[in-house]
């Protein structure tokens, strides 16, 4: 049995859940999310204990994999609508900066032109200063995907460390060429 899958998802105060067949809807102070559950997994809501449990149809390999996945997705939905998710990025390099302009993040990162990235619906993007980007939202996948798209514009390079990186990311630096007098 899946260790993650059999663990119940406890609902915090202020979170409402609706289960109709294979569709789960979660609503809370940070937003509303829905998920179509795989047919090999069933979700049961216990109103007395305010918990969601995930069960699987059989013991075949795919059912076991879907069991833990479904529980994790539902747990992320519950956490997202109650507390939300956040991803911080840093822009490093001389002259490298960003700004928010009409529902888009515009990055100036060493190209001949600024690179705009449209902010998806359901996300909030803040820039406390020109080199820090904070992506917030209820959907963990959407937050991570948009942060990855911003990083992909100019990933950090290993010689000077210039580029867009996650706040907690460690970039391994290379020494580069050294011109030593040789024999």
């Amino acid at each position: 049995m899946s260790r993650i899958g059999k663990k119940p998802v406890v609902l915090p105060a202020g979170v409402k859940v609706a289960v109709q067949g294979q569709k789960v809807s979660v609503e809370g102070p940070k937003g509303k999310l829905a998920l179509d559950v795989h047919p090999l997994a069933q979700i049961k809501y216990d109103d007395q204990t305010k918990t969601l449990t995930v069960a699987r149809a059989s013991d075949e390999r795919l059912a076991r994999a879907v069991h833990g996945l479904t529980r994790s997705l539902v747990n992320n939905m519950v956490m997202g609508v109650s507390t939300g998710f956040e991803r911080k990025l840093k822009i490093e390099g001389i002259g490298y900066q960003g700004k928010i302009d009409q529902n888009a993040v515009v990055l100036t990162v060493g190209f001949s032109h600024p690179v705009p990235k449209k902010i998806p619906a359901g996300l909030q993007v803040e820039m406390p200063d020109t080199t820090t980007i904070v992506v917030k939202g209820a959907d963990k996948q959407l937050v991570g995907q948009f942060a990855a798209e911003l990083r992909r514009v100019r990933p950090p390079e290993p010689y000077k460390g210039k580029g867009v990186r996650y706040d907690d990311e460690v970039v391994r630096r290379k020494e580069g060429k050294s011109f030593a007098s040789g024999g």
Side-chain angles (χ1 to χ4, degrees):
M1 185 107 187
S2 170
R3 291 183 187 177
I4 294 172
K6 66 182 176 183
K7 199 184 288 188
V9 178
V10 180
L11 299 177
V15 175
K16 297 178 192 146
V17 172
V19 179
Q20 291 101 17
Q22 293 300 101
K23 188 166 181 76
V24 179
S25 301
V26 182
E27 190 174 353
K30 298 278 184 177
K32 186 175 184 177
L33 296 172
L35 173 72
D36 289 325
V37 179
H38 195 279
L40 292 175
Q42 295 91 31
I43 298 209
K44 297 176 189 84
Y45 175 59
D46 186 11
D47 201 26
Q48 304 293 351
T49 59
K50 300 272 189 213
T51 59
L52 284 166
T53 54
V54 180
R56 62 179 182 230
S58 65
D59 261 351
E60 65 185 63
R61 186 181 181 104
L62 181 61
R64 291 194 314 260
V66 167
H67 185 212
L69 170 72
T70 304
R71 192 264 178 200
S72 292
L73 291 174
V74 170
N75 188 49
N76 286 342
M77 287 170 49
V78 170
M79 285 174 48
V81 298
S82 61
T83 58
F85 292 101
E86 174 180 296
R87 199 74 164 124
K88 283 186 178 178
L89 296 116
K90 294 290 280 178
I91 304 171
E92 302 242 347
I94 296 172
Y96 285 22
Q97 62 184 347
K99 65 180 178 180
I100 298 175
D101 187 36
Q102 295 179 353
N103 202 27
V105 177
V106 181
L107 299 174
T108 307
V109 285
F111 297 119
S112 61
H113 58 282
V115 181
K117 285 288 185 183
K118 190 174 180 296
I119 300 171
L123 291 183
Q124 299 87 39
V125 178
E126 300 169 358
M127 291 193 72
D129 56 65
T130 58
T131 60
T132 306
I133 304 169
V134 182
V135 182
K136 294 180 181 179
D139 189 350
K140 186 175 187 177
Q141 193 274 329
L142 194 60
V143 169
Q145 180 68 40
F146 187 63
E149 287 174 13
L150 289 174
R151 183 183 181 277
R152 197 176 302 128
V153 171
R154 176 71 87 173
E157 54 94 24
Y159 295 101
K160 292 185 179 178
K162 299 189 325 184
V164 181
R165 68 176 76 184
Y166 297 118
D167 195 36
D168 56 354
E169 181 178 6
V170 177
V171 177
R172 289 190 50 196
R173 303 289 290 272
K174 292 185 180 177
E175 192 175 310
K177 292 183 180 177
S178 59
F179 295 101
S181 59

